[in-house]
mmCIF file with all atom_site columns, all heavy atoms in Angstrom:
data_model
loop_
_atom_site.group_PDB
_atom_site.id
_atom_site.type_symbol
_atom_site.label_atom_id
_atom_site.label_alt_id
_atom_site.label_comp_id
_atom_site.label_asym_id
_atom_site.label_entity_id
_atom_site.label_seq_id
_atom_site.pdbx_PDB_ins_code
_atom_site.Cartn_x
_atom_site.Cartn_y
_atom_site.Cartn_z
_atom_site.occupancy
_atom_site.B_iso_or_equiv
_atom_site.pdbx_formal_charge
_atom_site.auth_seq_id
_atom_site.auth_comp_id
_atom_site.auth_asym_id
_atom_site.auth_atom_id
_atom_site.pdbx_PDB_model_num
ATOM 1   N N   . HIS J 1 7   ? 69.765 58.181 35.777 1.00 91.00 ? 7   HIS J N   1
ATOM 2   C CA  . HIS J 1 7   ? 68.444 58.092 36.399 1.00 91.00 ? 7   HIS J CA  1
ATOM 3   C C   . HIS J 1 7   ? 67.655 56.965 35.743 1.00 91.00 ? 7   HIS J C   1
ATOM 4   O O   . HIS J 1 7   ? 67.810 56.694 34.552 1.00 91.00 ? 7   HIS J O   1
ATOM 5   C CB  . HIS J 1 7   ? 67.683 59.421 36.229 1.00 91.00 ? 7   HIS J CB  1
ATOM 6   C CG  . HIS J 1 7   ? 68.168 60.516 37.109 1.00 91.00 ? 7   HIS J CG  1
ATOM 7   N ND1 . HIS J 1 7   ? 68.004 60.522 38.474 1.00 91.00 ? 7   HIS J ND1 1
ATOM 8   C CD2 . HIS J 1 7   ? 68.811 61.679 36.823 1.00 91.00 ? 7   HIS J CD2 1
ATOM 9   C CE1 . HIS J 1 7   ? 68.511 61.634 38.978 1.00 91.00 ? 7   HIS J CE1 1
ATOM 10  N NE2 . HIS J 1 7   ? 69.016 62.347 38.000 1.00 91.00 ? 7   HIS J NE2 1
ATOM 11  N N   . ALA J 1 15  ? 69.932 71.644 36.694 1.00 97.00 ? 15  ALA J N   1
ATOM 12  C CA  . ALA J 1 15  ? 70.422 73.006 36.922 1.00 97.00 ? 15  ALA J CA  1
ATOM 13  C C   . ALA J 1 15  ? 71.951 73.032 36.939 1.00 97.00 ? 15  ALA J C   1
ATOM 14  O O   . ALA J 1 15  ? 72.582 72.192 37.580 1.00 97.00 ? 15  ALA J O   1
ATOM 15  C CB  . ALA J 1 15  ? 69.880 73.540 38.243 1.00 97.00 ? 15  ALA J CB  1
ATOM 16  N N   . PHE J 1 16  ? 72.520 74.004 36.238 1.00 97.00 ? 16  PHE J N   1
ATOM 17  C CA  . PHE J 1 16  ? 73.947 74.271 36.320 1.00 97.00 ? 16  PHE J CA  1
ATOM 18  C C   . PHE J 1 16  ? 74.252 75.054 37.583 1.00 97.00 ? 16  PHE J C   1
ATOM 19  O O   . PHE J 1 16  ? 73.489 75.939 37.958 1.00 97.00 ? 16  PHE J O   1
ATOM 20  C CB  . PHE J 1 16  ? 74.421 75.105 35.124 1.00 97.00 ? 16  PHE J CB  1
ATOM 21  C CG  . PHE J 1 16  ? 74.751 74.292 33.910 1.00 97.00 ? 16  PHE J CG  1
ATOM 22  C CD1 . PHE J 1 16  ? 73.784 74.019 32.955 1.00 97.00 ? 16  PHE J CD1 1
ATOM 23  C CD2 . PHE J 1 16  ? 76.033 73.815 33.705 1.00 97.00 ? 16  PHE J CD2 1
ATOM 24  C CE1 . PHE J 1 16  ? 74.083 73.274 31.831 1.00 97.00 ? 16  PHE J CE1 1
ATOM 25  C CE2 . PHE J 1 16  ? 76.349 73.072 32.576 1.00 97.00 ? 16  PHE J CE2 1
ATOM 26  C CZ  . PHE J 1 16  ? 75.366 72.810 31.643 1.00 97.00 ? 16  PHE J CZ  1
ATOM 27  N N   . SER J 1 31  ? 66.041 60.272 43.490 1.00 97.00 ? 31  SER J N   1
ATOM 28  C CA  . SER J 1 31  ? 67.452 60.619 43.690 1.00 97.00 ? 31  SER J CA  1
ATOM 29  C C   . SER J 1 31  ? 67.797 61.973 43.093 1.00 97.00 ? 31  SER J C   1
ATOM 30  O O   . SER J 1 31  ? 67.103 62.510 42.237 1.00 97.00 ? 31  SER J O   1
ATOM 31  C CB  . SER J 1 31  ? 68.359 59.540 43.073 1.00 97.00 ? 31  SER J CB  1
ATOM 32  O OG  . SER J 1 31  ? 68.370 59.629 41.673 1.00 97.00 ? 31  SER J OG  1
ATOM 33  N N   . LYS J 1 33  ? 71.284 63.673 41.384 1.00 98.00 ? 33  LYS J N   1
ATOM 34  C CA  . LYS J 1 33  ? 72.580 63.257 40.843 1.00 98.00 ? 33  LYS J CA  1
ATOM 35  C C   . LYS J 1 33  ? 73.415 64.482 40.502 1.00 98.00 ? 33  LYS J C   1
ATOM 36  O O   . LYS J 1 33  ? 72.912 65.504 40.061 1.00 98.00 ? 33  LYS J O   1
ATOM 37  C CB  . LYS J 1 33  ? 72.400 62.369 39.614 1.00 98.00 ? 33  LYS J CB  1
ATOM 38  C CG  . LYS J 1 33  ? 71.745 61.029 39.968 1.00 98.00 ? 33  LYS J CG  1
ATOM 39  C CD  . LYS J 1 33  ? 71.854 60.032 38.857 1.00 98.00 ? 33  LYS J CD  1
ATOM 40  C CE  . LYS J 1 33  ? 71.167 58.733 39.203 1.00 98.00 ? 33  LYS J CE  1
ATOM 41  N NZ  . LYS J 1 33  ? 71.805 57.966 40.237 1.00 98.00 ? 33  LYS J NZ  1
ATOM 42  N N   . LEU J 1 34  ? 74.723 64.315 40.709 1.00 98.00 ? 34  LEU J N   1
ATOM 43  C CA  . LEU J 1 34  ? 75.693 65.373 40.470 1.00 98.00 ? 34  LEU J CA  1
ATOM 44  C C   . LEU J 1 34  ? 76.598 64.973 39.306 1.00 98.00 ? 34  LEU J C   1
ATOM 45  O O   . LEU J 1 34  ? 77.073 63.831 39.250 1.00 98.00 ? 34  LEU J O   1
ATOM 46  C CB  . LEU J 1 34  ? 76.538 65.605 41.734 1.00 98.00 ? 34  LEU J CB  1
ATOM 47  C CG  . LEU J 1 34  ? 77.574 66.715 41.675 1.00 98.00 ? 34  LEU J CG  1
ATOM 48  C CD1 . LEU J 1 34  ? 76.895 68.079 41.576 1.00 98.00 ? 34  LEU J CD1 1
ATOM 49  C CD2 . LEU J 1 34  ? 78.463 66.648 42.918 1.00 98.00 ? 34  LEU J CD2 1
ATOM 50  N N   . PRO J 1 52  ? 59.375 61.175 44.705 1.00 98.00 ? 52  PRO J N   1
ATOM 51  C CA  . PRO J 1 52  ? 60.027 61.816 43.572 1.00 98.00 ? 52  PRO J CA  1
ATOM 52  C C   . PRO J 1 52  ? 60.579 63.201 43.910 1.00 98.00 ? 52  PRO J C   1
ATOM 53  O O   . PRO J 1 52  ? 60.001 63.929 44.716 1.00 98.00 ? 52  PRO J O   1
ATOM 54  C CB  . PRO J 1 52  ? 58.904 61.946 42.541 1.00 98.00 ? 52  PRO J CB  1
ATOM 55  C CG  . PRO J 1 52  ? 57.944 60.853 42.888 1.00 98.00 ? 52  PRO J CG  1
ATOM 56  C CD  . PRO J 1 52  ? 57.998 60.748 44.375 1.00 98.00 ? 52  PRO J CD  1
ATOM 57  N N   . GLN J 1 55  ? 62.240 69.435 42.126 1.00 98.00 ? 55  GLN J N   1
ATOM 58  C CA  . GLN J 1 55  ? 63.086 70.545 41.703 1.00 98.00 ? 55  GLN J CA  1
ATOM 59  C C   . GLN J 1 55  ? 64.357 70.568 42.538 1.00 98.00 ? 55  GLN J C   1
ATOM 60  O O   . GLN J 1 55  ? 64.378 70.110 43.681 1.00 98.00 ? 55  GLN J O   1
ATOM 61  C CB  . GLN J 1 55  ? 62.352 71.874 41.858 1.00 98.00 ? 55  GLN J CB  1
ATOM 62  C CG  . GLN J 1 55  ? 63.087 73.033 41.211 1.00 98.00 ? 55  GLN J CG  1
ATOM 63  C CD  . GLN J 1 55  ? 62.254 74.298 41.160 1.00 98.00 ? 55  GLN J CD  1
ATOM 64  O OE1 . GLN J 1 55  ? 61.317 74.484 41.929 1.00 98.00 ? 55  GLN J OE1 1
ATOM 65  N NE2 . GLN J 1 55  ? 62.611 75.187 40.259 1.00 98.00 ? 55  GLN J NE2 1
ATOM 66  N N   . ARG J 1 63  ? 78.169 75.615 46.695 1.00 98.00 ? 63  ARG J N   1
ATOM 67  C CA  . ARG J 1 63  ? 78.581 74.600 47.678 1.00 98.00 ? 63  ARG J CA  1
ATOM 68  C C   . ARG J 1 63  ? 77.434 73.705 48.140 1.00 98.00 ? 63  ARG J C   1
ATOM 69  O O   . ARG J 1 63  ? 77.688 72.591 48.605 1.00 98.00 ? 63  ARG J O   1
ATOM 70  C CB  . ARG J 1 63  ? 79.201 75.267 48.910 1.00 98.00 ? 63  ARG J CB  1
ATOM 71  C CG  . ARG J 1 63  ? 80.516 75.968 48.613 1.00 98.00 ? 63  ARG J CG  1
ATOM 72  C CD  . ARG J 1 63  ? 81.160 76.540 49.867 1.00 98.00 ? 63  ARG J CD  1
ATOM 73  N NE  . ARG J 1 63  ? 80.244 77.333 50.654 1.00 98.00 ? 63  ARG J NE  1
ATOM 74  C CZ  . ARG J 1 63  ? 79.998 77.149 51.961 1.00 98.00 ? 63  ARG J CZ  1
ATOM 75  N NH1 . ARG J 1 63  ? 80.625 76.226 52.634 1.00 98.00 ? 63  ARG J NH1 1
ATOM 76  N NH2 . ARG J 1 63  ? 79.124 77.923 52.583 1.00 98.00 ? 63  ARG J NH2 1
ATOM 77  N N   . ALA J 1 68  ? 63.593 69.537 46.391 1.00 97.00 ? 68  ALA J N   1
ATOM 78  C CA  . ALA J 1 68  ? 62.196 69.560 46.825 1.00 97.00 ? 68  ALA J CA  1
ATOM 79  C C   . ALA J 1 68  ? 61.531 68.273 46.327 1.00 97.00 ? 68  ALA J C   1
ATOM 80  O O   . ALA J 1 68  ? 61.738 67.844 45.205 1.00 97.00 ? 68  ALA J O   1
ATOM 81  C CB  . ALA J 1 68  ? 61.473 70.765 46.240 1.00 97.00 ? 68  ALA J CB  1
ATOM 82  N N   . SER J 1 69  ? 60.702 67.680 47.198 1.00 97.00 ? 69  SER J N   1
ATOM 83  C CA  . SER J 1 69  ? 60.175 66.367 46.875 1.00 97.00 ? 69  SER J CA  1
ATOM 84  C C   . SER J 1 69  ? 58.705 66.155 47.208 1.00 97.00 ? 69  SER J C   1
ATOM 85  O O   . SER J 1 69  ? 58.135 66.866 48.049 1.00 97.00 ? 69  SER J O   1
ATOM 86  C CB  . SER J 1 69  ? 60.995 65.309 47.634 1.00 97.00 ? 69  SER J CB  1
ATOM 87  O OG  . SER J 1 69  ? 60.461 64.023 47.513 1.00 97.00 ? 69  SER J OG  1
ATOM 88  N N   . LEU J 1 74  ? 62.291 69.242 52.131 1.00 97.00 ? 74  LEU J N   1
ATOM 89  C CA  . LEU J 1 74  ? 63.408 69.827 51.403 1.00 97.00 ? 74  LEU J CA  1
ATOM 90  C C   . LEU J 1 74  ? 64.646 69.193 52.007 1.00 97.00 ? 74  LEU J C   1
ATOM 91  O O   . LEU J 1 74  ? 64.698 68.948 53.209 1.00 97.00 ? 74  LEU J O   1
ATOM 92  C CB  . LEU J 1 74  ? 63.478 71.332 51.611 1.00 97.00 ? 74  LEU J CB  1
ATOM 93  C CG  . LEU J 1 74  ? 62.357 72.167 51.005 1.00 97.00 ? 74  LEU J CG  1
ATOM 94  C CD1 . LEU J 1 74  ? 62.445 73.601 51.511 1.00 97.00 ? 74  LEU J CD1 1
ATOM 95  C CD2 . LEU J 1 74  ? 62.444 72.136 49.497 1.00 97.00 ? 74  LEU J CD2 1
ATOM 96  N N   . ARG J 1 80  ? 80.844 69.200 48.633 1.00 97.00 ? 80  ARG J N   1
ATOM 97  C CA  . ARG J 1 80  ? 82.197 68.761 49.013 1.00 97.00 ? 80  ARG J CA  1
ATOM 98  C C   . ARG J 1 80  ? 82.190 67.358 49.627 1.00 97.00 ? 80  ARG J C   1
ATOM 99  O O   . ARG J 1 80  ? 82.982 66.498 49.258 1.00 97.00 ? 80  ARG J O   1
ATOM 100 C CB  . ARG J 1 80  ? 82.826 69.757 49.993 1.00 97.00 ? 80  ARG J CB  1
ATOM 101 C CG  . ARG J 1 80  ? 84.255 69.412 50.399 1.00 97.00 ? 80  ARG J CG  1
ATOM 102 C CD  . ARG J 1 80  ? 84.833 70.415 51.392 1.00 97.00 ? 80  ARG J CD  1
ATOM 103 N NE  . ARG J 1 80  ? 84.026 70.544 52.593 1.00 97.00 ? 80  ARG J NE  1
ATOM 104 C CZ  . ARG J 1 80  ? 84.072 69.706 53.635 1.00 97.00 ? 80  ARG J CZ  1
ATOM 105 N NH1 . ARG J 1 80  ? 84.888 68.670 53.628 1.00 97.00 ? 80  ARG J NH1 1
ATOM 106 N NH2 . ARG J 1 80  ? 83.303 69.913 54.698 1.00 97.00 ? 80  ARG J NH2 1
ATOM 107 N N   . LEU J 1 84  ? 74.128 64.460 52.989 1.00 98.00 ? 84  LEU J N   1
ATOM 108 C CA  . LEU J 1 84  ? 73.024 65.285 53.451 1.00 98.00 ? 84  LEU J CA  1
ATOM 109 C C   . LEU J 1 84  ? 73.503 66.202 54.563 1.00 98.00 ? 84  LEU J C   1
ATOM 110 O O   . LEU J 1 84  ? 74.073 65.758 55.546 1.00 98.00 ? 84  LEU J O   1
ATOM 111 C CB  . LEU J 1 84  ? 71.883 64.386 53.958 1.00 98.00 ? 84  LEU J CB  1
ATOM 112 C CG  . LEU J 1 84  ? 70.633 65.102 54.443 1.00 98.00 ? 84  LEU J CG  1
ATOM 113 C CD1 . LEU J 1 84  ? 69.926 65.823 53.311 1.00 98.00 ? 84  LEU J CD1 1
ATOM 114 C CD2 . LEU J 1 84  ? 69.694 64.097 55.098 1.00 98.00 ? 84  LEU J CD2 1
ATOM 115 N N   . HIS J 1 91  ? 56.467 70.438 55.917 1.00 92.00 ? 91  HIS J N   1
ATOM 116 C CA  . HIS J 1 91  ? 55.406 70.814 54.974 1.00 92.00 ? 91  HIS J CA  1
ATOM 117 C C   . HIS J 1 91  ? 54.257 69.815 55.095 1.00 92.00 ? 91  HIS J C   1
ATOM 118 O O   . HIS J 1 91  ? 54.470 68.637 55.334 1.00 92.00 ? 91  HIS J O   1
ATOM 119 C CB  . HIS J 1 91  ? 55.940 70.836 53.543 1.00 92.00 ? 91  HIS J CB  1
ATOM 120 C CG  . HIS J 1 91  ? 56.929 71.921 53.307 1.00 92.00 ? 91  HIS J CG  1
ATOM 121 N ND1 . HIS J 1 91  ? 58.269 71.768 53.550 1.00 92.00 ? 91  HIS J ND1 1
ATOM 122 C CD2 . HIS J 1 91  ? 56.755 73.190 52.872 1.00 92.00 ? 91  HIS J CD2 1
ATOM 123 C CE1 . HIS J 1 91  ? 58.889 72.906 53.279 1.00 92.00 ? 91  HIS J CE1 1
ATOM 124 N NE2 . HIS J 1 91  ? 57.988 73.779 52.861 1.00 92.00 ? 91  HIS J NE2 1
ATOM 125 N N   . VAL J 1 98  ? 61.646 75.034 44.814 1.00 94.00 ? 98  VAL J N   1
ATOM 126 C CA  . VAL J 1 98  ? 62.598 75.534 45.798 1.00 94.00 ? 98  VAL J CA  1
ATOM 127 C C   . VAL J 1 98  ? 63.531 76.540 45.118 1.00 94.00 ? 98  VAL J C   1
ATOM 128 O O   . VAL J 1 98  ? 63.788 76.431 43.920 1.00 94.00 ? 98  VAL J O   1
ATOM 129 C CB  . VAL J 1 98  ? 63.400 74.357 46.424 1.00 94.00 ? 98  VAL J CB  1
ATOM 130 C CG1 . VAL J 1 98  ? 64.254 73.667 45.377 1.00 94.00 ? 98  VAL J CG1 1
ATOM 131 C CG2 . VAL J 1 98  ? 64.255 74.829 47.573 1.00 94.00 ? 98  VAL J CG2 1
ATOM 132 N N   . TRP J 1 100 ? 66.802 79.733 46.280 1.00 90.00 ? 100 TRP J N   1
ATOM 133 C CA  . TRP J 1 100 ? 67.631 80.384 47.306 1.00 90.00 ? 100 TRP J CA  1
ATOM 134 C C   . TRP J 1 100 ? 67.394 81.882 47.243 1.00 90.00 ? 100 TRP J C   1
ATOM 135 O O   . TRP J 1 100 ? 67.174 82.430 46.166 1.00 90.00 ? 100 TRP J O   1
ATOM 136 C CB  . TRP J 1 100 ? 69.111 80.129 47.039 1.00 90.00 ? 100 TRP J CB  1
ATOM 137 C CG  . TRP J 1 100 ? 69.560 78.727 47.270 1.00 90.00 ? 100 TRP J CG  1
ATOM 138 C CD1 . TRP J 1 100 ? 69.533 77.726 46.371 1.00 90.00 ? 100 TRP J CD1 1
ATOM 139 C CD2 . TRP J 1 100 ? 70.118 78.210 48.468 1.00 90.00 ? 100 TRP J CD2 1
ATOM 140 N NE1 . TRP J 1 100 ? 70.043 76.585 46.933 1.00 90.00 ? 100 TRP J NE1 1
ATOM 141 C CE2 . TRP J 1 100 ? 70.415 76.853 48.225 1.00 90.00 ? 100 TRP J CE2 1
ATOM 142 C CE3 . TRP J 1 100 ? 70.417 78.737 49.720 1.00 90.00 ? 100 TRP J CE3 1
ATOM 143 C CZ2 . TRP J 1 100 ? 70.988 76.013 49.174 1.00 90.00 ? 100 TRP J CZ2 1
ATOM 144 C CZ3 . TRP J 1 100 ? 70.994 77.906 50.681 1.00 90.00 ? 100 TRP J CZ3 1
ATOM 145 C CH2 . TRP J 1 100 ? 71.258 76.574 50.400 1.00 90.00 ? 100 TRP J CH2 1
#
Side-chain angles (χ1 to χ4, degrees):
H7 285 291
F16 275 90
S31 74
K33 294 193 182 292
L34 182 67
Q55 190 171 22
R63 293 184 310 127
S69 173
L74 292 170
R80 183 181 57 81
L84 181 66
H91 292 87
V98 64
W100 290 88

